[in-house]
């Protein structure tokens, strides 16, 4: 499949005065003070990855990895399931809110046509991982290099709409979110007591193998034109309600999975630093999703949650067994639960995560947070 030739220059933002320019917003504070927000130029947003960021692509696939039935979406503006693995908005939705953009549509949505292509697109698919054999139990899902093929297809459609030069500029100037890795552990290495991958690799060796494969993925994304990419590490895999239900005796996080995340995430940060050094620019930004989650898992009350162990929607111990479905136990107030279902944060927890993505210190966002990225790029 032919692809666009993309600029190999450092990240730049070229103001597109004819397309989707946004107007500075003013917010009336509780103290009746007008606080003007900084001018934000519209930029496209692309999303790649798994169920943490899928906003409906799997609805169009023959797969068991779906979130298209109630009570998913119970707190979404339409109060209907959308394919997001959330009670409401997910990470990309909230990031779009923060950067003053409308939400991206799933790439497979028939509504993604015409001017809507200028907003960007979400290519994520629940169940996938860094490795092609991750998530095979979910049947037909969009593995990462297939997501990239669809991204090439998107670029061809965009070129037909605005011309090749402007399409290339829009892609180079876009913000990109990449979320992978958790499923390679949860739905591959640790899926069964003696999985093929656990017989093949020790945890440290498996992590190194994942990092080497992830590096190829990020290099390919750069070749396809991405110049500002936020890469999330894995969350605290051993602390999700599903793993507590299967592996925990007294509610403590599952040690082996926490160990795996503790090895993988620092190696990912190191790989990103090396990649940026080779490219001569801060193309990739590491988001410490592990610590972002552990903050409210360790101290739920400090963040307004009544629990960080029990999922709002599910069955069995910690509501961590099976899937969230119409027959599940469902909490009446989703805002006081850190986890929506056995694996995924609630909308409110996602908002706390995005807060750190926007303004977090270098402990959370390395080498810079999203507010810094937006400010830097607006001055170029």
């Amino acid at each position: 499949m032919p692809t666009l030739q993309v600029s190999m220059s450092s990240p730049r933002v070229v103001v597109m005065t004819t397309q989707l320019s946004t107007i500075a917003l003013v917010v009336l504070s509780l103290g009746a003070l007008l606080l003007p927000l900084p001018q934000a130029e519209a930029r496209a947003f692309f999303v790649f990855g798994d169920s943490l960021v899928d906003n409906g692509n799997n609805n169009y696939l023959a797969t068991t990895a779906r979130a298209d039935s109630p009570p998913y979406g119970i707190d979404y503006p339409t109060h209907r399931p959308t394919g997001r693995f959330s009670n409401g908005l997910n990470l990309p939705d909230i990031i779009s809110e923060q950067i003053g953009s409308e939400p991206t549509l799933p790439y497979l949505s028939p509504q993604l046509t015409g001017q809507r292509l200028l907003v960007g697109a979400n290519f994520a698919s629940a169940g996938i991982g860094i490795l092609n054999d991750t998530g095979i139990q979910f049947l037909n899902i969009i593995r990462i290099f297939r997501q990239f093929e669809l991204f090439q297809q998107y670029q061809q459609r965009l070129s037909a709409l605005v011309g090749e030069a402007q399409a290339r500029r829009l892609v180079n100037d876009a913000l990109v979110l990449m979320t992978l890795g958790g499923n390679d552990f949860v739905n591959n290495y640790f899926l069964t007591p003696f999985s093929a991958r656990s017989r093949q690799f020790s945890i440290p060796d498996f992590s190194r193998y994942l990092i080497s494969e992830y590096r190829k993925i990020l290099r390919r994304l750069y070749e396809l034109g991405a110049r500002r990419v936020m890469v999330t590490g894995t969350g605290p895999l051993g602390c999700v309600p599903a793993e507590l239900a299967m592996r925990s005796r007294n509610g403590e996080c599952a040690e082996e999975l926490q160990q795996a995340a503790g090895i993988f995430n620092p190696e990912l940060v190191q790989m990103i630093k090396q990649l940026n050094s080779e490219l001569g620019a801060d193309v990739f930004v590491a988001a410490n999703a592990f610590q972002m989650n552990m903050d409210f898992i360790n101290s739920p009350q400090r963040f307004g949650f009544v629990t960080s162990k029990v999922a709002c929607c599910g069955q069995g111990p910690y509501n961590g067994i099976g899937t969230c479905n119409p027959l599940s136990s469902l909490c009446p107030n989703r805002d006081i639960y850190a986890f929506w279902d056995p694996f995924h944060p609630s909308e409110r927890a996602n908002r706390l995560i995005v807060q750190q993505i926007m303004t977090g210190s270098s402990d959370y966002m390395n080498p810079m947070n999203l507010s810094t990225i937006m400010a830097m790029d607006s001055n170029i």
Side-chain angles (χ1 to χ4, degrees):
M1 186 182 293
T3 64
L4 288 174
Q5 296 300 307
V6 298
S7 163
M8 303 303 279
S9 61
S10 299
R12 287 184 56 82
V13 167
V14 180
V15 178
M16 296 168 56
T17 56
T18 58
Q19 306 292 347
L20 295 173
S21 62
T22 57
I23 302 170
L25 300 172
V26 289
V27 178
L28 186 61
S29 73
L30 293 175
L33 295 173
L34 284 173
L35 301 174
L37 296 176
Q39 179 79 22
E41 300 300 338
R43 70 194 299 179
F45 184 30
F46 300 110
V47 181
F48 301 90
D50 57 27
S51 61
L52 290 166
V53 293
D54 182 355
N55 68 347
N57 281 309
N58 279 23
N59 287 1
Y60 302 95
L61 303 173
T63 177
T64 55
R66 302 171 75 96
D68 59 347
S69 61
Y72 283 102
I74 188 171
D75 299 309
Y76 193 76
T78 60
H79 306 293
R80 292 179 156 186
T82 61
R84 292 164 173 82
F85 287 75
S86 172
N87 57 302
L89 303 183
N90 66 3
L91 289 174
D93 296 322
I94 301 165
I95 291 171
S96 292
E97 269 184 8
Q98 291 293 310
I99 65 174
S101 177
E102 60 183 276
T104 55
L105 288 171
Y107 184 70
L108 298 185
S109 168
Q111 297 176 316
L112 186 64
T113 57
Q115 297 294 304
R116 289 187 169 186
L117 289 168
L118 301 173
V119 177
N122 186 316
F123 300 89
S125 177
I128 74 149
I130 295 166
L131 305 180
N132 274 336
D133 58 301
T134 292
I136 55 174
Q137 67 271 33
F138 300 125
L139 306 176
N140 184 27
I141 50 181
I142 313 172
R143 303 188 187 286
I144 191 61
F145 283 102
R146 177 58 181 157
Q147 291 185 24
F148 289 168
E149 288 173 0
L150 295 177
F151 186 36
Q152 292 172 263
Q153 189 183 98
Y154 162 89
Q155 292 187 32
Q156 292 166 351
R157 294 172 63 193
L158 187 65
S159 292
L161 182 70
V162 299
E164 189 170 326
Q166 194 165 331
R168 180 168 57 245
R169 194 178 307 130
L170 181 144
V171 170
N172 285 166
D173 296 344
L175 184 67
V176 181
L177 177 65
M178 169 68 78
T179 298
L180 283 177
N183 282 328
D184 294 285
F185 291 104
V186 171
N187 281 310
N188 189 335
Y189 191 92
F190 292 105
L191 183 62
T192 58
F194 301 101
S195 68
R197 289 298 190 183
S198 66
R199 291 197 304 270
Q200 182 183 9
F201 292 107
S202 67
I203 293 173
D205 287 344
F206 184 63
S207 182
R208 278 190 285 274
Y209 175 53
L210 288 180
I211 294 295
S212 69
E213 294 300 303
Y214 209 169
R215 182 187 177 89
K216 297 172 190 173
I217 289 166
L218 296 182
R219 283 291 319 206
R220 180 61 182 147
L221 187 55
Y222 181 83
E223 290 167 8
L224 292 174
R227 294 295 179 269
R228 282 294 194 200
V229 186
M230 296 182 295
V231 183
T232 68
T234 76
L237 304 173
C239 301
V240 301
E243 299 302 333
L244 297 185
M246 287 189 291
R247 303 172 191 271
S248 179
R249 293 188 177 186
N250 300 303
E252 73 283 359
C253 298
E255 190 176 340
E256 271 198 318
L257 279 94
Q258 290 295 87
Q259 177 196 351
I263 293 170
F264 175 84
N265 288 315
E267 289 181 346
L268 176 62
V269 173
Q270 197 55 40
M271 181 266 280
I272 284 173
K273 286 180 179 176
Q274 291 170 351
L275 204 47
N276 283 340
S277 177
E278 289 173 21
L279 298 173
D282 290 328
V283 174
F284 299 101
V285 173
N288 187 348
F290 184 91
Q291 193 56 50
M292 293 174 188
N293 281 271
M294 283 308 293
D295 286 350
F296 57 74
I297 285 173
N298 284 335
S299 306
Q301 284 74 28
R302 186 158 71 88
F303 292 90
F305 297 119
V306 296
T307 178
S308 60
K309 297 185 186 299
V310 181
C312 170
C313 181
Q315 297 84 226
Y318 307 100
N319 266 354
I321 302 295
T323 61
C324 174
N325 62 60
L327 301 178
S328 296
S329 164
L330 179 67
C331 69
N333 182 359
R334 276 69 64 182
D335 283 347
I336 57 176
Y337 281 70
F339 284 95
W340 156 244
D341 69 11
F343 287 103
H344 303 95
S346 62
E347 177 183 323
R348 187 155 170 278
N350 278 328
R351 289 190 177 278
L352 293 171
I353 293 166
V354 173
Q355 194 176 334
Q356 294 291 8
I357 289 173
M358 292 300 300
T359 61
S361 69
S362 58
D363 291 337
Y364 295 92
M365 297 291 290
N366 193 298
M368 69 191 95
N369 60 37
L370 182 50
S371 294
T372 302
I373 290 170
M374 299 295 285
M376 283 176 55
D377 290 351
S378 67
N379 292 325
I380 294 177

